[in-house]
Amino acid sequence: MMNDANEISHHTKLYGFIGEEAGQSSFCATLNRKFKANNKDAMMIPMNVREDDFFFTASNMKKSHLNGAVISYEYVEKVVEILDESPELVRRSGMCDILIRDGEKLVGDVFFIRVLTAFLKDNLVSNIALIGVSPYAKVLSFFSCGFNISYFNDDLEALMHLTQETDVLDADINRIATGMSIDFSQFDAVLDFSNLLNLDMIEKFAKINIDMKHKKQFSSLKNRANELGANCRGFDDLLEEYSQGAYNFFEKKGDLKDDKSAMKF
């Protein structure tokens, strides 16, 4: 689905949502409704891209009609290699989840975790259990000011490396592994940015539990939460927040300065 009217002209700003199963998500439809509600001549289109085709597709954006793109979590590390410009956060975290095309240059940035931290603050979250050492975990660690974060992973050495890279002093580092019994009820939120296929060691969850998995993808966090009758939010449960974040990013970059009422055909 594009926008409610499915209207594209040669003036329309086009953006892509790039992922293996991009078409299975309602992210594009949600963002397109925001474009329409704000009278913006812009549209985001889902782009299902296999891993083998990712570099070809992303590199060709430099000479395409796309003005920018949002990158699904499976490609946030791969896209960094083809960026022409990026802020320090992208370089230090090793990930990019949003970019714009400036002429024939691709300029990357990070926005999902910015949106997520704002959501957590709006919900008065203070104490966080963070699972994993992925780039998402690294970015959240960079944004740790205002939160009390306890770090969990099956590899303690990798956790120590992450906290050192993100300049966390006296980090609360914990091992999480099969056969253990872990109670997260003391935390306000659990964020799973790991690749762990089994989270059966969790016996109690926090009030808020989140990962970045799409609704069609297996989520070990959601699977365990369902077993225990706890709530869990994935990527598609925060579409309104993420799509507003993407809208704000493109608007801040000056991409959405024109609206349809000012268009001349």
Side-chain angles (χ1 to χ4, degrees):
M1 182 177 181
M2 294 183 182
N3 62 17
D4 292 343
N6 291 328
E7 298 172 346
I8 298 179
S9 75
H10 61 283
H11 294 290
T12 303
K13 297 279 189 178
L14 290 177
Y15 304 96
F17 177 42
I18 301 177
E20 287 185 298
E21 302 290 343
Q24 296 295 321
S25 172
S26 298
F27 178 74
C28 293
T30 306
L31 180 54
N32 287 333
R33 284 195 291 271
K34 293 187 182 297
F35 287 148
K36 184 175 182 182
N38 289 279
N39 207 31
K40 299 301 182 183
D41 192 15
M43 183 174 293
M44 175 162 281
I45 55 177
M47 299 173 63
N48 291 340
V49 177
R50 298 180 305 176
E51 185 175 358
D52 291 346
D53 297 327
F54 176 76
F55 284 116
F56 176 80
T57 301
S59 297
N60 282 340
M61 279 185 58
K62 297 181 180 184
K63 296 185 178 181
S64 74
H65 294 294
L66 289 179
N67 293 87
V70 170
I71 311 298
S72 185
Y73 81 95
E74 61 269 26
Y75 295 140
V76 295
E77 293 177 85
K78 292 180 179 293
V79 74
V80 174
E81 297 181 36
I82 65 168
L83 297 177
D84 298 291
E85 295 179 12
S86 59
E88 183 180 3
L89 181 61
V90 169
R91 296 191 294 272
R92 292 190 66 183
S93 66
M95 70 164 280
C96 162
D97 55 24
I98 196 165
L99 58 87
I100 59 169
R101 179 178 58 80
D102 181 7
E104 292 190 4
K105 296 189 300 182
L106 297 182
V107 183
D109 211 328
V110 173
F111 91 103
F112 279 130
I113 296 299
R114 296 182 195 275
V115 173
L116 184 56
T117 55
F119 172 83
L120 295 172
K121 290 178 180 178
D122 287 345
N123 283 272
L124 305 179
V125 167
S126 177
N127 300 311
I128 296 173
L130 175 60
I131 306 174
V133 294
S134 72
Y136 285 106
K138 189 177 291 187
V139 173
L140 187 77
S141 189
F142 279 124
F143 290 167
S144 61
C145 183
F147 298 113
N148 298 314
I149 299 180
S150 295
Y151 297 83
F152 292 81
N153 195 46
D154 55 345
D155 183 342
L156 290 181
E157 186 175 343
L159 266 186
M160 291 179 64
H161 184 64
L162 180 147
T163 54
Q164 289 168 357
E165 282 191 316
T166 56
D167 303 321
V168 178
L169 300 177
D170 300 320
D172 180 16
I173 293 176
N174 305 272
R175 186 166 180 263
I176 184 170
T178 300
M180 300 178 70
S181 178
I182 297 179
D183 182 353
F184 282 141
S185 61
Q186 62 183 307
F187 295 96
D188 301 317
V190 173
L191 305 180
D192 179 22
F193 297 143
S194 74
N195 292 318
L196 296 175
L197 298 178
N198 188 332
L199 290 174
D200 288 350
M201 71 289 294
I202 300 176
E203 296 297 333
K204 293 183 179 179
F205 276 93
K207 182 179 180 181
I208 296 174
N209 308 285
I210 299 174
D211 66 14
M212 290 298 297
K213 300 293 174 47
H214 300 291
K215 59 185 176 183
K216 296 292 185 178
Q217 295 168 319
F218 174 75
S219 164
S220 53
L221 186 75
K222 183 166 287 187
N223 186 61
R224 184 56 174 162
N226 288 340
E227 291 175 349
L228 297 178
N231 77 82
C232 180
R233 293 177 173 93
F235 176 85
D236 295 276
D237 298 300
L238 294 170
L239 287 181
E240 284 294 330
E241 289 82 0
Y242 290 139
S243 61
Q244 186 64 54
Y247 180 96
N248 293 343
F249 177 87
F250 293 132
E251 185 173 52
K252 185 176 180 180
K253 294 297 182 180
D255 264 20
L256 303 178
K257 59 185 177 181
D258 297 320
D259 60 41
K260 286 188 175 183
S261 63
M263 292 294 151
K264 297 180 180 179
F265 298 91

